[in-house]
């Protein structure tokens, strides 16, 4: 699994686990909601300083953002399907 995907999924899982919206994490971290959305989707390649700011905003360690999940979902992230 690509490290950007690992970081993005971890940010999303931890943020949701804490009951935070991307907007709230944006206020806490100083990053835009658009940046956080791209990060969670694995489209961004964050710097170490960015990871440190996000980890601090989530009250976790950087290591938690880099940890590869023990098992990965077979279907991947859920996506909405269009009708038709």
């Amino acid at each position: 699994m690509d490290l950007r995907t690992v970081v993005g999924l971890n940010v999303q899982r931890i943020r949701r686990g804490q009951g935070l919206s991307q907007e709230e994490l944006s206020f806490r971290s100083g990053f835009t909601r658009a940046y956080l959305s791209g990060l969670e989707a694995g489209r961004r390649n964050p710097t170490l300083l960015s990871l440190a700011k996000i980890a601090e905003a989530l009250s976790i360690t950087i290591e938690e953002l880099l940890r590869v999940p023990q098992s990965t979902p077979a279907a991947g992230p859920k996506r909405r399907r269009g009708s038709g």
Side-chain angles (χ1 to χ4, degrees):
M1 182 182 298
D2 182 270
L3 190 54
R4 290 173 295 192
T5 302
V6 169
V7 169
L9 291 174
N10 284 334
V11 169
Q12 184 178 73
R13 177 182 50 79
I14 294 165
R15 174 184 61 76
R16 287 181 175 173
Q18 294 182 8
L20 298 175
S21 65
Q22 285 181 342
E23 186 174 14
E24 179 61 31
L25 182 55
S26 171
F27 290 133
R28 292 183 181 194
S29 66
F31 293 106
T32 65
R33 194 205 53 78
Y35 176 83
L36 293 171
S37 176
L39 180 75
E40 289 183 3
R43 294 189 307 266
R44 298 287 184 166
N45 191 19
T47 66
L48 291 173
L49 294 176
S50 297
L51 291 177
K53 287 174 79 172
I54 292 167
E56 182 178 342
L58 292 170
S59 300
I60 60 169
T61 64
I62 292 174
E63 291 83 3
E64 290 177 78
L65 295 177
L66 299 174
R67 190 170 297 135
V68 177
Q70 295 298 322
S71 61
T72 55
K78 292 183 180 179
R79 295 186 181 195
R80 288 185 166 179
R81 292 184 181 192
S83 57

